[in-house]
Amino acid sequence: MLHSRDSTADHHPRRIGWLAGIPRQEQELLRFPGVEILQAGSQRKVLRIPPSPSRPTLIAKIHHERDLAARVRRFFGWGRARLEWNNLMRAEERGATVPRPIALECHQGHDIIFTDYLLDTEPFPQHLERYQGERRVALLRVLGQWLASVVRSGIDARDIHTGNILVRGVEPTAMSLWLVDLHDARVGLGVPPHRQRAMVQQVASALGAARFTNDVHHFLEGWAHGARALGIDGKWASGPDRETDEIDWAAVEPERLAETFRQAERAEIQRRRRHISRALQRPTDFRRDLEGIEKVYRNQTDTTGILQVRRGRGRGEG
């Protein structure tokens, strides 16, 4: 593994020129004109680098391996940045919709991944809030079809949820979706049936299976059609393929529909228990913002007496 002051551990041959004039070290990069911090955590920072006539807008993910086990994995080439880089390269080769990888930089205390910035996109949950009625139904079916294409590309995404899916477009028939944060994925080895079901259940849970059953049902209709059409698993679909507003879908096999709801609801209960346990263990949390100012966060109860738990990690941080 390379640890020189300016060491490109790997790069995409046609895009490395986009980094001309851009610092490759964390501190210099943070001082680069126009850089914006999108996320800042103890293990990862995400920066947006402004465009120039010779390059598009870029993203830089700065990874720090804090605990001993993570540092050992990094020493043997299994660090989070290296894994994500390998997965991005393999996923792009297989035609999956992921951010375009540019370069991986490895230094003594941190690693940096450079990718292109996906302009005019937003996380799927925020995008979904804009839609109601038939357009919402269409968007959820598109999500299901897209997940089938991800599986068909051989991406076993261990940390897939709607917050890791970016969307661009207004009309469901012309939308583009991207999968981000691939450090926990496995690419190129195929996705076995039990992992296919796990990915479907993770997305269903993120959509709120216990509360928004219609949203999950329409998502599964898109998945059922896509899984059958792409030769992944024809047992999800029941009856013939259908089309509404130019979006294909299929009825979901009743037993698989019920099982998905049960698993998603169980996952939601476990998630709530973890949050309550964390709140009881740490009723007060001290954190510093990006300017180094310490702030105090306290868990509170709402008017119904339900504990409102503040998460220790922000969305997408991992």
Side-chain angles (χ1 to χ4, degrees):
M1 184 168 53
L2 301 176
H3 289 302
S4 65
R5 176 169 175 77
D6 187 8
S7 55
T8 301
D10 212 338
H11 68 274
H12 192 286
R14 296 194 303 274
R15 301 174 189 145
I16 188 62
W18 290 353
L19 297 184
I22 295 178
R24 312 293 178 84
Q25 286 273 351
E26 178 180 9
Q27 295 306 315
E28 289 87 344
L29 190 56
L30 288 170
R31 292 192 294 267
F32 188 70
V35 161
E36 179 184 357
I37 300 177
L38 302 181
Q39 291 182 18
S42 62
Q43 298 186 63
R44 187 178 73 168
K45 293 185 180 72
V46 180
L47 313 180
R48 180 164 53 196
I49 302 172
S52 76
S54 61
R55 68 167 183 270
T57 305
L58 305 181
I59 285 288
K61 288 185 180 181
I62 305 173
H63 290 269
H64 292 269
E65 307 287 11
R66 299 297 186 186
D67 61 89
L68 178 59
R71 291 199 296 270
V72 170
R73 289 194 299 268
R74 179 175 182 258
F75 177 81
F76 286 105
W78 301 330
R80 293 162 64 90
R82 167 58 72 178
L83 293 177
E84 182 167 5
W85 170 262
N86 290 343
N87 288 334
L88 283 171
M89 292 291 287
R90 292 170 185 160
E92 186 182 43
E93 290 172 358
R94 300 176 74 88
T97 52
V98 297
R100 292 180 293 177
I102 300 169
L104 169 66
E105 301 283 335
C106 295
H107 303 287
Q108 186 64 40
H110 64 279
D111 301 324
I112 306 177
I113 296 178
F114 292 92
T115 66
D116 71 329
Y117 176 72
L118 298 171
L119 291 170
D120 302 322
T121 61
E122 62 181 347
F124 189 88
Q126 285 88 321
H127 198 79
L128 182 62
E129 291 177 359
R130 305 174 186 272
Y131 293 83
Q132 298 297 330
E134 291 301 319
R135 296 184 69 194
R136 186 182 183 93
V137 171
L139 175 58
L140 290 160
R141 288 170 175 165
V142 167
L143 174 65
Q145 293 181 20
W146 172 83
L147 181 61
S149 73
V150 170
V151 173
R152 185 68 178 84
S153 298
I155 300 178
D156 183 355
R158 301 295 175 117
D159 188 32
I160 190 169
H161 54 79
T162 52
N164 282 347
I165 301 170
L166 300 183
V167 188
R168 176 192 295 156
V170 177
E171 294 300 325
T173 54
M175 274 179 188
S176 298
L177 289 84
W178 284 268
L179 180 62
V180 298
D181 288 344
L182 295 179
H183 59 274
D184 286 332
R186 296 182 181 178
V187 182
L189 301 177
V191 185
H194 74 282
R195 284 299 310 153
Q196 296 173 17
R197 292 192 295 272
M199 290 172 62
V200 171
Q201 289 163 4
Q202 282 181 275
V203 175
S205 296
L207 287 171
R211 295 161 292 162
F212 304 104
T213 55
N214 287 337
D215 283 358
V216 176
H217 195 168
H218 297 314
F219 154 70
L220 291 174
E221 290 172 340
W223 160 257
H225 167 79
R228 181 164 64 183
L230 296 176
I232 298 169
D233 187 347
K235 296 180 180 179
W236 281 89
S238 175
D241 290 336
R242 307 179 188 183
E243 178 183 325
T244 303
D245 296 331
E246 302 182 36
I247 303 295
D248 295 321
W249 59 282
V252 186
E253 198 280 324
E255 289 188 8
R256 295 210 172 188
L257 178 65
E259 176 64 17
T260 301
F261 279 120
R262 284 196 297 270
Q263 293 293 339
E265 185 173 3
R266 186 177 298 119
E268 175 70 11
I269 292 173
Q270 292 174 349
R271 183 185 67 83
R272 291 178 181 177
R273 286 175 177 172
R274 287 195 301 269
H275 292 170
I276 292 173
S277 176
R278 185 184 301 124
L280 295 176
Q281 293 172 8
R282 296 184 63 187
T284 303
D285 188 18
F286 296 87
R287 283 177 283 172
R288 294 184 181 274
D289 62 15
L290 298 180
E291 298 178 353
I293 300 174
E294 189 172 67
K295 294 185 177 181
V296 179
Y297 298 87
R298 291 185 175 87
N299 298 310
Q300 301 173 347
T301 55
D302 63 12
T303 55
T304 63
I306 297 176
L307 185 65
Q308 303 297 299
V309 180
R310 294 186 181 271
R311 298 192 182 197
R313 290 164 48 183
R315 179 178 292 274
E317 181 179 341

